[in-house]
Amino acid sequence: MLVSSRITSISPKMTIIKSLSNMTFLAIALCLSSAITQAARFNVTNTCPFTVWAAAVPGGPSGGKQLNSGESWAIDVAAGSQNARIWARTGCSFDESGRGRCDTGDCGGLLECQEHGTPPNTLAEYSLDQLNSSNSDFFYISLMEGFNVKMEFSPTSDGCPRGITCNADIIQQCPSELRTQGGCNNPCTAFKTDKYCCNSGSCRPTGYSNFFKNKCPDAFTYPKDDSLFMNCPGGTNYKVVFCP
Ligand SMILES: *[C@@H]1O[C@H](CO)[C@@H](O)[C@H](O)[C@H]1NC(C)=O
Ligand SMILES: *[C@@H]1O[C@H](CO)[C@@H](O)[C@H](O)[C@H]1NC(C)=O
């Protein structure tokens, strides 16, 4: 996946830096790079008519929370976080120590996730402050681990393009061979073959990936999907809404 990169103007700083010694260069470079990376706040809201157990890796500070219908959860994510994700778990029960299990999205039986969930789970994925894309964030919705809950993923700060929504009734229409308790599996999860998982390089859309694509055109549906993903300036805040 490629990000269009716009080169920001850093030439005045570079001129100054060049006139300094190597040690000073290093110190200033470190200061600059930490000064331009910024944390982000994610407001996660459950507007589904049922309870979900929201999950976030990395968390901020915790990695999971029960969200009854109408409830929200604010997560603060560290600057520079990469390959980060937020998702909903369904059909969970936890004991008082926060151990239990979920039908979808379960993360090793913990209420407060420290690792990714078990498919199927609709994913809000993002990376913050990518220096190779002009220090911008990027984000997208992925169905590459299947679908469990409808989702919106949008910036709440100015200076960004639109958000992304996957609001189709994918569970109802899920092909029976992909259907599972509480969700609809991606064919890679269900069949684990190269045709769907693209392990050996090239692969093409399939009937199954087209099923997901037709329902949610803006979501990633298979590994070589060239869906656009969204760029925002570093420091942008976001919302993730379940059942928008
Ligand atoms: C999160 O979003 C909900 C629903 O829009 C809103 O009521 C709440 O005030 C927001 N929370 C924060 C911390 O922004
Ligand atoms: C930026 O570069 C790193 C390391 O090469 C890579 O893992 C990451 O995917 C790149 N980010 C984007 C947005 O292309």
Side-chain angles (χ1 to χ4, degrees):
M1 293 184 287
L2 293 171
V3 178
S4 64
S5 63
R6 283 155 295 157
I7 306 303
T8 49
S9 172
I10 54 167
S11 42
K13 285 170 190 155
M14 292 307 291
T15 314
I16 296 165
I17 287 167
K18 273 179 195 150
S19 68
L20 300 169
S21 74
N22 282 348
M23 282 305 289
T24 317
F25 175 92
L26 189 62
I28 288 181
L30 286 171
C31 287
L32 278 176
S33 67
S34 62
I36 57 178
T37 59
Q38 298 177 70
R41 166 160 283 202
F42 290 76
N43 186 356
V44 182
T45 300
N46 176 24
T47 51
C48 299
F50 48 84
T51 297
V52 303
W53 287 259
V57 173
S62 92
K65 186 173 169 39
Q66 177 175 334
L67 292 182
N68 298 328
S69 184
E71 290 183 339
S72 293
W73 178 39
I75 309 169
D76 290 305
V77 178
S81 293
Q82 291 194 39
N83 305 319
R85 58 171 65 175
I86 294 170
W87 71 101
R89 293 167 288 173
T90 59
C92 303
S93 61
F94 292 104
D95 65 18
E96 284 181 2
S97 71
R99 291 180 177 276
R101 65 168 300 280
C102 304
D103 287 341
T104 64
D106 186 65
C107 60
L110 298 179
L111 172 60
E112 299 188 357
C113 293
Q114 290 163 10
E115 56 188 54
H116 292 172
T118 304
N121 48 185
T122 316
L123 299 174
E125 296 196 298
Y126 63 92
S127 288
L128 301 179
D129 315 307
Q130 296 299 286
L131 293 170
N132 45 356
S133 61
S134 305
N135 190 35
S136 68
D137 302 346
F138 70 91
F139 68 96
Y140 53 88
I141 291 177
S142 170
L143 301 178
M144 288 195 283
E145 294 189 7
F147 176 97
N148 64 341
V149 172
K150 298 172 183 177
M151 179 185 277
E152 176 190 348
F153 190 2
S154 299
T156 54
S157 312
D158 293 336
C160 288
R162 66 188 174 88
I164 301 172
T165 299
C166 176
N167 201 13
D169 203 348
I170 286 181
I171 293 179
Q172 277 295 319
Q173 297 170 46
C174 183
S176 57
E177 58 276 30
L178 299 181
R179 199 167 285 196
T180 181
Q181 177 71 29
C184 186
N185 269 323
N186 187 283
C188 174
T189 306
F191 307 123
K192 298 183 176 60
T193 56
D194 251 16
K195 179 177 180 187
Y196 302 115
C197 302
C198 307
N199 293 323
S200 62
S202 70
C203 69
R204 293 150 38 85
T206 61
Y208 292 125
S209 74
N210 287 334
F211 163 76
F212 288 103
K213 195 53 132 186
N214 289 337
K215 301 279 177 252
C216 286
D218 288 340
F220 279 89
T221 59
Y222 76 108
K224 301 292 177 188
D225 196 334
D226 59 359
S227 277
L228 67 163
F229 54 99
M230 300 297 169
N231 271 105
C232 288
T236 296
N237 295 322
Y238 299 88
K239 65 176 176 180
V240 173
V241 182
F242 301 125
C243 307

